[in-house]
Amino acid sequence: MNVIIVGIGFMGTGLAQRLIHQGFSVTAVDQNQTALDALGDAFPGQRVCGVGFDRDVLERAGIERTDAVVSCMGSDEANIVVAHVARSTFHVPRVIARLHDLSKADTYRRLNIQTISPNAWGIARTAELLTYQHLDSVYDVGSGDVVIVRADVPALLDGTTVRELTALGEVQIVGVSRDNETFIPTQGTVLVDGDIVYAAVATSATRKFKQMFGIAA
């Protein structure tokens, strides 16, 4: 997975090192070259010096090809701008922003942006969100060539439609549980953080389903 981290302070540095250790491809963005240099000569990722919410800087960082953007600068306003641009302009599937002022949480939620806190727990939480691993087998159908699985929708898939998670003949979402109610979705149903999905999955497509949900194989 390719991840762009905007803001290489304590949190950005810790997250970059953790993700590199987990095998991610990381691009670090910061307007302070000294902060980028502090990542060390052994850092294998790319470094881009510039203002993180500048579109040209994000394009130099490869945002058009990235899988996720994490904005953890010191300013909530700057993080909102980066996250919004990543989501609305470049359609990055996974966007996370650091949040200092909890009163701004509603603003992030309206923009479908996942937030994390500015501390060491935030580093662990972000890594967890990028490597979500929860999947339960519910029922084997017939000879076992098809299995019904249950999976929690992680925050990073918030706003995804059922159509985007459907693979004809391989993966079909057959039920969604939300707020203690379960319903049969349409292809246009929009999933939200906290939903539980039930899917009919061909055993030969189990790996594909896990990849859709960012679950380690």
Side-chain angles (χ1 to χ4, degrees), residues 2-4 61-69 92-93:
N2 298 313
V3 180
I4 294 174
I63 194 170
E64 294 174 326
R65 302 179 302 280
T66 198
D67 300 300
V69 170
V92 176

Side-chain angles (χ1 to χ4, degrees), residues 29 39 61 66 70 76 80 104 126-127 159 175 181 188 216:
V29 177
L39 290 170
T66 198
V70 181
D76 283 350
I80 288 176
K104 296 185 175 73
T126 303
E181 294 184 0

Side-chain angles (χ1 to χ4, degrees), residues 57-75:
V57 172
L58 292 173
E59 288 179 340
R60 281 197 285 122
I63 194 170
E64 294 174 326
R65 302 179 302 280
T66 198
D67 300 300
V69 170
V70 181
S71 186
C72 47
M73 294 183 285
S75 164

Side-chain angles (χ1 to χ4, degrees), residues 151 153 162 165 173-186 189-192 194-199:
V153 174
V162 166
L165 298 177
I173 306 299
V174 296
V176 176
S177 289
R178 178 182 302 166
D179 297 330
N180 296 318
E181 294 184 0
T182 301
F183 60 92
I184 297 175
T186 67
T189 296
V190 177
L191 300 175
V192 300
D195 282 354
I196 299 173
V197 299
Y198 295 84

